[in-house]
Structure formats: structure tokens, C-alpha cells
């Protein structure tokens, strides 16, 4: 199935996933640029993290592209991996910090430009992820995925 035949909900879901990648990269850039050791030192000491993130973003982009082309499996994987596990990874750290006695009001009042950039990027990232999930499961999207050929029906006979 061609991505051009995708209903608006699927195309919108796809762009939400792209925005999720962009906001994740924005948060990462803000973190490295504000690192007290300097951005180059922070980058050079983050090889494993950067490799993991690169794989995660490439997988996200690939799954979003497959979803847009009609893959129901990709739609479900996006939901499970990024909507579920990804969201958990983004909210668990702040929740644990508050649970351990962190003072959110003091933190917010003392946050500088770099921290606000990271906070806003993370919030927008979560909104984009859930926008992608919600639009991928709208009724017109569901009909599109039911029509999408499976490996079984796509084979010539």
C-alpha cells in the first residue's frame, strides 16, 4: 500500500512520530550544550548512550514509515515500544525524583534556559508520542490497516 493512500489520521500520526524524534534530539542537544564539562567532552563520554539513542530513533523512524505504508504490526510496535516503554522512561525519572523528596516548585523557580529547553522538549516529546498513538488508532486509520495487504495476501498465486 502506498503512503499516499493513507488516510489523514495515519499521515498525521506519522508526523507526530517525526516530531517526537525532533523533540528528543532537541532535549539531547540542550543537555549536551549545557553540560558543565562542555559539549564536546559530554559527547565524547556518551558513546553508548548515543549509540542506543541512534538505534532507537532509526527504529522509530522506520516503524513510523512502515506504519504510514499500512503495516499494522508497525503501528502496534510503535504503541508498545514508544507509547508504553518510551513514555515510562520519560516520566519515571521525574516521578522518582519527586517521590524521593524533590521540591518541584524550587526546581521550577531555579531552572535556567537550558533546563527549560529540556523540560519543554520532553513535554512536547510526550505529547507527540501520544498524538502519534491516538491518531494511529482513529477509526479511519483502523479501516486503513484492515485493508492493508498482509504477507499472505500480497503473495502472487
Amino acid at each position: 500500500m502506498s503512503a499516499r493512500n493513507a488516510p489523514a489520521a495515519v499521515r498525521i500520526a506519522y508526523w507526530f512520530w517525526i516530531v517526537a524524534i525532533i523533540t528528543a534530539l532537541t532535549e539531547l542537544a540542550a543537555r549536551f550544550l549545557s553540560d558543565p564539562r562542555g559539549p564536546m567532552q559530554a559527547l565524547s563520554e556518551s558513546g553508548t548512550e548515543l549509540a542506543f539513542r541512534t538505534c532507537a530513533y532509526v527504529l522509530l523512524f522506520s516503524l513510523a514509515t512502515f506504519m504510514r505504508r499500512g503495516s499494522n504490526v508497525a503501528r502496534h510496535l510503535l504503541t508498545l515500544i514508544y507509547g508504553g516503554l518510551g513514555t515510562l522512561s520519560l516520566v519515571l525519572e521525574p516521578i522518582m525524583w519527586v517521590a524521593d523528596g524533590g521540591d518541584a516548585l524550587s526546581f521550577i523557580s531555579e531552572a535556567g534556559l537550558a533546563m527549560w529547553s529540556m523540560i519543554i522538549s520532553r513535554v512536547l516529546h510526550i505529547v507527540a508520542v501520544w498524538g502519534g498513538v491516538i491518531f494511529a488508532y482513529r477509526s479511519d486509520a483502523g479501516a486503513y490497516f484492515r485493508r492493508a495487504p498482509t504477507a499472505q495476501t500480497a503473495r502472487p498465486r
Side-chain angles (χ1 to χ4, degrees), residues 17-92:
W17 289 114
I18 298 305
V19 169
I21 295 170
I22 293 167
T23 55
L25 291 171
T26 301
E27 179 184 355
L28 185 64
R31 193 181 94 213
F32 283 133
L33 289 171
S34 66
D35 193 293
R37 300 169 294 172
M40 295 312 290
Q41 184 71 24
L43 277 169
S44 69
E45 294 177 8
S46 301
T48 303
E49 176 190 0
L50 291 175
F52 179 80
R53 284 179 179 267
T54 299
C55 291
Y57 302 150
V58 167
L59 178 62
L60 172 52
F61 177 77
S62 299
L63 288 172
T65 300
F66 289 133
M67 178 207 63
R68 189 178 66 174
R69 292 181 182 163
S71 172
N72 198 31
V73 170
R75 174 175 71 148
H76 294 311
L77 287 172
L78 283 164
T79 302
L80 291 171
I81 296 169
Y82 296 95
L85 296 174
T87 299
L88 183 62
S89 75
L90 292 170
V91 300
L92 195 58

Side-chain angles (χ1 to χ4, degrees), residues 128-156:
V129 164
W130 282 97
V133 169
I134 290 166
F135 274 90
Y137 287 90
R138 289 185 40 147
S139 60
D140 54 337
Y144 173 69
F145 291 110
R146 281 189 297 279
R147 283 193 318 264
T150 63
Q152 198 71 351
T153 60
R155 255 188 303 172

